[in-house]
Amino acid sequence: MNILDLSDPADRHLGKILELQAAQNGDTEYLITDDQRITYAQANATCDRLAAGFKALGVGKGDRVMLFTGNVPEMVLICLALNKLGAIWVPICTDYKGEWLLDSLQRSRADMLVTDGEHWDTVAAIRDQLELKHCIALEEDVAAANGLLSYASLLDHQPYTADYSDLDWGDTCAILWTSGTTGKSKGVMVAHNNWIRSNVLGTQLQYTAEPGDIIYCAMPLYNAGAWITCVARALLAGVGVVIEKKFSVSAFMERVKKFNATQTFAVGSMGVFLMSQPEKP
């Protein structure tokens, strides 16, 4: 585990934090799934290539890129890569469709979208109403079949070296949409230091992470809760985080056991569902 000293505001940037963890804690696994175990060093190297790929497409400081994908490590890597450019990631709830999805995409005011095979048909249904310069698919076969750019093509670049002298902890790094329970969803601008301060003064103290801890994340990555309690917290603490595709009530404890996870987070309703399950050994 490598909890960083972030007392210097110059270090309070998600891209910079990934670089620091890669230098000091490179062999530790950061992003974990059934099929992938990506160390901090590997994550940083991948993000540098992704950043170069996005830069080649014209993405720069202050630009927005929308993400409409399932829970996969590639989504996290894209977000951190965009932050190295000073760009902003805008994740969209994957339950949205039709007019509700179209409204969120249009009001995101971005001309680039990343999606995956699972959600491509939903995007395709409204694509002609979107003013997109580029649409990127995570899977190469989906990209090839639909005339899209691929995630792999972004990686086919020499690594980008971020210049943090022009980036600040108060810069907006993400825009996350509210759930819309009291009306239309609203885009909330989140600065780098919002994630960091909330962790340093909040979740890090609550969870008291130790070397070898693994966080189990079954929250959707378009939700701020997944980042503040799992993904960003793991990044700041230098521990691993399991990126689960979906929350399963019946399989939750078995999945926690599979990954030897020691920490997790669930919103209230998830806890109610879990507590209603029959007891098991």
Side-chain angles (χ1 to χ4, degrees):
M1 186 185 69
N2 189 45
I3 295 181
L4 300 171
D5 176 8
L6 298 175
S7 56
D8 184 350
D11 292 332
R12 290 195 165 208
H13 183 284
L14 297 187
K16 181 69 174 292
I17 291 171
L18 178 59
E19 291 187 9
L20 292 172
Q21 290 290 14
Q24 303 175 23
N25 194 34
D27 292 337
T28 298
E29 294 174 347
Y30 175 33
L31 303 172
I32 303 168
T33 69
D34 286 311
D35 304 315
Q36 299 186 71
R37 289 183 173 267
I38 303 170
T39 66
Y40 278 96
Q42 291 169 335
N44 187 59
T46 298
C47 286
D48 286 343
R49 289 187 176 276
L50 288 172
F54 277 110
K55 188 174 188 295
L57 295 177
V59 177
K61 184 177 181 181
D63 291 331
R64 305 175 186 188
V65 175
M66 298 176 290
L67 297 105
F68 189 67
T69 79
N71 271 29
V72 288
E74 289 80 4
M75 181 174 174
V76 176
L77 295 171
I78 287 172
C79 291
L80 296 176
L82 290 170
N83 286 160
K84 283 175 177 273
L85 294 170
I88 300 166
W89 42 278
V90 189
I92 307 294
C93 174
T94 51
D95 289 329
Y96 290 176
K97 60 183 65 175
E99 288 299 322
W100 197 276
L101 173 61
L102 179 62
D103 180 71
S104 296
L105 293 174
Q106 289 177 333
R107 289 196 293 131
S108 293
R109 290 185 289 175
D111 58 14
M112 196 173 301
L113 172 69
V114 180
T115 189
D116 56 19
E118 180 183 356
H119 300 94
W120 165 244
D121 286 346
T122 305
V123 173
I126 60 171
R127 186 185 183 188
D128 61 352
Q129 300 178 67
L130 300 171
E131 297 180 2
L132 296 176
K133 288 184 179 178
H134 300 289
C135 192
I136 301 163
L138 296 184
E139 305 92 341
E140 288 192 70
D141 59 335
V142 175
N146 297 282
L148 312 178
L149 297 176
S150 70
Y151 176 85
S153 70
L154 296 176
L155 291 170
D156 192 24
H157 290 78
Q158 291 300 309
Y160 172 78
T161 301
D163 178 9
Y164 295 102
S165 65
D166 191 38
L167 304 178
D168 186 78
W169 65 348
D171 292 340
T172 298
C173 73
I175 297 175
L176 288 98
W177 290 94
T178 62
S179 60
T181 51
T182 58
K184 263 189 175 181
S185 295
K186 295 166 283 292
V188 178
M189 297 185 295
V190 185
H192 292 272
N193 202 46
N194 288 139
W195 302 121
I196 296 163
R197 180 180 173 85
S198 298
N199 266 282
V200 171
L201 299 181
T203 49
Q204 279 190 358
L205 302 178
Q206 293 170 320
Y207 280 94
T208 60
E210 298 179 355
D213 273 337
I214 295 176
I215 302 169
Y216 180 75
C217 178
M219 296 278 289
L221 293 177
Y222 58 74
N223 186 287
W227 285 82
I228 198 167
T229 66
C230 299
V231 180
R233 183 167 69 85
L235 179 62
L236 268 65
V239 299
V241 57
V242 176
I243 304 298
E244 190 70 283
K245 288 186 176 180
K246 294 184 183 297
F247 168 63
S248 169
V249 177
S250 59
F252 186 87
M253 295 309 298
E254 286 80 3
R255 297 291 288 171
V256 166
K257 184 177 180 180
K258 171 184 171 63
F259 292 105
N260 294 318
T262 55
Q263 302 182 356
T264 191
F265 173 82
V267 296
S269 58
M270 294 166 69
V272 172
F273 294 148
L274 291 170
M275 291 298 290
S276 69
Q277 289 293 291
E279 289 188 11
K280 297 180 182 179

